[in-house]
Amino acid sequence: MYEHDVIVVGAGGAGLRAAIAANEAGADVAMVSKLHPVRSHTGAAEGGINAALQEGDDWELHAYDTMKGSDYLGDAPAVETLAQDAPEETINLEHWGMPFSREDDGRVSQRPFGGLSYPRTTYAGAETGHHLLHTMYEQVVKRGIQVYDEWYVMDLATTDESDPNDRECHGVVAYDVQSGNIEGFKANQGVVLATGGPGQAFDHTTNAVSCTGDGHAMAYRAGAPIEDMEFIQFHPTSLPSTGVLISEGVRGEGGILYNNEGERFMFEHGYANNSGELASRDVVARAELTEVNEGRGVEDEYVHLDMRHLGEERIMDRLENILHLAEDFEGVDGLVEPMPVKPGQHYAMGGIEVDENGQTCVNGLYAAGECACVSVHGGNRLGGNALPELIVFGKRAGRHAAGEDLGDPEIRTGYGDDVEDETETELPVAPGEAGLDTSGGVAADGGVTADAEGILERTVETARERVDRLMDKDDGVQHAEIRAKLQKAMTDYVNVFRTEEGVKKALEIIRECRQEYQDVYVDDPSKTFNTDLQQTIETRNLIDVAETIALGALVRNEFRGAHWRQENQIRDDENWLKHTLISWDEGEPSIFYRPVILEGENKTYEPKERSY
Amino acid sequence: MSTQQAEPESQEAPEDPEMKGAESPAAEEQKGGGMVDKHAEKRAELEGETVHIKVFRYDPEIEGKQEPRFDDFHVPFEKGMTVLDAVMYARDEYDSSLTFRHSCRQAVCGSDAFFVNGKQRLGCKTQISELEQPVRIEPLPHQEVVKDLVVDMDHFYDQMHTVEPYFQDEDTPDTDALEEQRQSPENREKIKMSSRCIWCGACMSSCNIAAGDNEYLGPAAINKAYKFAMDDREGEEIKEHRLRILEQEHGVWRCQTQFSCTEVCPKDIPLTEHIQELKREAVKKNLKFW
């Protein structure tokens, strides 16, 4: 058994920042990650870091833009904390040597981005995430922070009191990918989940293959509610074959979208008469799919993004990276032909419910980054707001887990007096009916108070038994088959366009996947670097996460931000200025709601219509 | 970390002259203007066909796999298919024990560097249509093989850590007052290419010197040091300290300017030039040779 004060799970932007903060607060901190830190998906971020750095800009403007962008589903205390802390955190990165793009006077550059009232996106070329990741990993090396890389965290060691608010998280169980050894990691002060997004729940995503929602699923099974999962951002320009992202910068520089009839459809078919290609991401994604559905797509699948008219010089100056991506991943030369693009799953606005200090309702359990929902992005995330979220809330989670007093949070977590119970919705399949073995769950038995070591040991034992079962079984279903079926169902029915009937169909398929998972087995008998085993465990997590996405999409019968419902084409502020919360309750999901907090420090954010 | 590692036999570049020959015309075409879709013809040819890949297999633990071998897979070709797509297909459809690292699929995580048709390349960044068949896919040479295409990266990371790979300023400005360190756009431009390294290990694997001298810092670590040494925000004293690390016995002077690192770098970093520049800096600073 390994023992540290703070265990950080995941080593992308949020995890690295949390570890550095915990270390600075005096804690003995260790990072446990299924990848080596520099392989984390934060490295793929392109755009930049929103922070009100310049005169004429201020945090209140940043907060206002973010609340509006969220379609009024962000919580004001979280949004204001993001806007207030981002400048200092961004400058802190500069002090750590991050190679930001520079102005002539040597100051960091900032540029305009969608939905921002001031050019406040700080960037390092079109590779901001890469530099952010490496700069923070360098600081981890400098501080000698222990990193267990290529250790896959399978579960949390949590007590099982009936009320999750009374539960305590004492550590994690992980297996060493290289050797297959399963060990406990005891956290004397706290566990910070920083495991990133769940994009692999969809079969066409800009997310890395490693983005399997492990943190979401582990926290969910430990009793922490999962919040607003129906809000999935689909980026309008990803390459059809791989899902590789083509930055919004192409449209920002003047790139044009065409259908198969050569029409500039954003204008000619009236999707966004003012902003055209530069309307918000949800609007453009819907427009592209409408073209394809109405027979005006190219090869019935995608549309064309054309940047040829920008000229080679300008493209090489500002979009060089895009030429490489189109060439390397699609075999298309962007200088001589338009690039094929279609919407791809890109970002989860929702996640593990946390307060502005990163804490979940389970004592000692924290979450930060894309796996968490504070919530700052609400129904729609603005470009450039994901990276400040990592550093601002990663740092807060790390400090709090290390025992620093950050004051009482304004955001409540867990089930309590301020929530509204779900009673109305008819679910297509009784939730949890096919939960069976896939539930995993809390370790201690019968509410018996055990010491931390005892709880950890029992969780390790359960994990070892589970792996043995998977390895000993000689035939059955392979994870890849179940994963493909799940991904297809999500893409078919819980995509940009959603209908009640479709989402129900998806839920039925998800339940089928849960059932089939009972028969899953691992074909590779080796303990050495067994990716078959790892992906089998990840697939269970994807089933849990996909279910929360689909359930959220089913119950929220309104149209807000990225969540489009055919039957309900209006934003229903009267009934839906509230967060969807789903918690795993004794083997089945239960749904409840908590009101959005629109009251900020100095003002209340009044919902307004968004138009383009 | 796994302790049971064996050096597989087949770690040499393929000797087949035809394969090597097939590399140059493609490279020529790339340099020569590139205004035509150079893969279109090849792609059309492959449409509806399968691609033949030969994948290196080895597992120290499993009896049938302790002796290194190549497995053949025939994978249906799809437009835009990369080497990574092909091995993923083979794994998901034919043999789930086929093992390799991969994550982002877009050339930034650096985890899927393989030895493809005798050259270090990122699997995700290499179009199948530009390769001669059968496509031979092996683990990176000169690194211990853990299993199949997975190599032990510990030595690579250790070398990276040796050069103190973190920013060291002498006088941090006031963070609360949001005071920045100024850096000219020109200085930023100077370190730009060096900062693009994704730690894939292709350069280290291609370097003959590194292959024969385990203590040689190697192109990746030296490039990492270059990024800091050339950054004006670090002071002169630190720069000198960095150059002392670099001009040690197994540092920059070991480089024999064979350019193999530069040739295989998937991010087009001029590694060899960076190493030469650091040599010149060391001489200028009057640092003595070891």
Side-chain angles (χ1 to χ4, degrees), chain B residues 79-182:
Chain B
K79 190 183 173 195
M81 186 174 227
T82 63
V83 168
L84 179 65
D85 293 332
V87 288
M88 283 173 75
Y89 188 95
R91 177 197 64 195
D92 292 346
E93 301 293 327
Y94 304 138
D95 181 356
S96 63
S97 72
L98 177 56
T99 305
F100 46 92
R101 289 193 183 96
H102 66 300
S103 186
C104 75
R105 302 122 57 245
Q106 59 183 84
V108 290
C109 79
S111 57
D112 70 338
F114 307 136
F115 198 53
V116 181
N117 280 1
K119 187 182 167 188
Q120 287 82 357
R121 314 173 200 243
L122 289 185
C124 64
K125 199 182 173 234
T126 307
Q127 291 279 316
I128 279 282
S129 58
E130 60 180 82
L131 300 169
E132 285 300 307
Q133 289 192 52
V135 179
R136 197 170 147 117
I137 305 165
E138 299 168 80
L140 288 182
H142 309 308
Q143 272 148 296
E144 273 189 296
V145 178
V146 176
K147 178 177 170 181
D148 294 347
L149 301 175
V150 176
V151 295
D152 188 345
M153 291 292 286
D154 281 356
H155 178 63
F156 177 84
Y157 298 142
D158 288 346
Q159 297 305 74
M160 291 297 261
H161 291 170
T162 302
V163 298
E164 300 184 5
Y166 37 82
F167 189 73
Q168 301 177 46
D169 54 345
E170 280 152 353
D171 202 7
T172 309
D174 186 359
T175 307
D176 289 340
L178 302 183
E179 201 182 317
E180 299 166 32
Q181 305 168 99
R182 304 289 177 107

Side-chain angles (χ1 to χ4, degrees), chain B residues 135-248:
Chain B
V135 179
R136 197 170 147 117
I137 305 165
E138 299 168 80
L140 288 182
H142 309 308
Q143 272 148 296
E144 273 189 296
V145 178
V146 176
K147 178 177 170 181
D148 294 347
L149 301 175
V150 176
V151 295
D152 188 345
M153 291 292 286
D154 281 356
H155 178 63
F156 177 84
Y157 298 142
D158 288 346
Q159 297 305 74
M160 291 297 261
H161 291 170
T162 302
V163 298
E164 300 184 5
Y166 37 82
F167 189 73
Q168 301 177 46
D169 54 345
E170 280 152 353
D171 202 7
T172 309
D174 186 359
T175 307
D176 289 340
L178 302 183
E179 201 182 317
E180 299 166 32
Q181 305 168 99
R182 304 289 177 107
Q183 182 186 28
S184 69
E186 294 73 29
N187 185 240
R188 199 252 171 196
E189 194 65 22
K190 181 165 182 63
I191 63 161
K192 185 177 85 179
M193 292 310 289
S194 66
S195 72
R196 285 185 173 169
C197 173
I198 55 172
W199 296 41
C200 68
C203 57
M204 195 75 161
S205 164
S206 76
C207 174
N208 283 328
I209 316 305
D213 174 3
N214 214 33
E215 287 176 65
Y216 174 45
L217 290 173
I222 296 174
N223 174 71
K224 186 79 177 167
Y226 176 96
K227 167 177 176 261
F228 295 108
M230 295 301 171
D231 190 325
D232 287 345
R233 291 173 296 172
E234 282 195 345
E236 278 303 307
E237 230 169 274
I238 299 291
K239 181 168 180 173
E240 205 151 302
H241 170 68
R242 290 197 180 281
L243 289 172
R244 280 185 198 288
I245 296 173
L246 290 168
E247 60 95 51
Q248 48 139 320

Side-chain angles (χ1 to χ4, degrees), chain A residues 202-223:
Chain A
F202 294 81
D203 72 2
H204 188 78
T205 175
T206 65
N207 282 197
V209 177
S210 57
C211 296
T212 51
D214 299 328
H216 294 79
M218 289 189 286
Y220 180 49
R221 294 191 302 261

Side-chain angles (χ1 to χ4, degrees), chain A residues 146-164:
Chain A
Q146 173 93 48
V147 180
Y148 298 90
D149 66 303
E150 296 190 332
W151 277 79
Y152 177 58
V153 173
M154 298 171 62
D155 242 322
L156 302 173
T158 310
T159 60
D160 77 338
E161 285 82 359
S162 58
D163 184 347

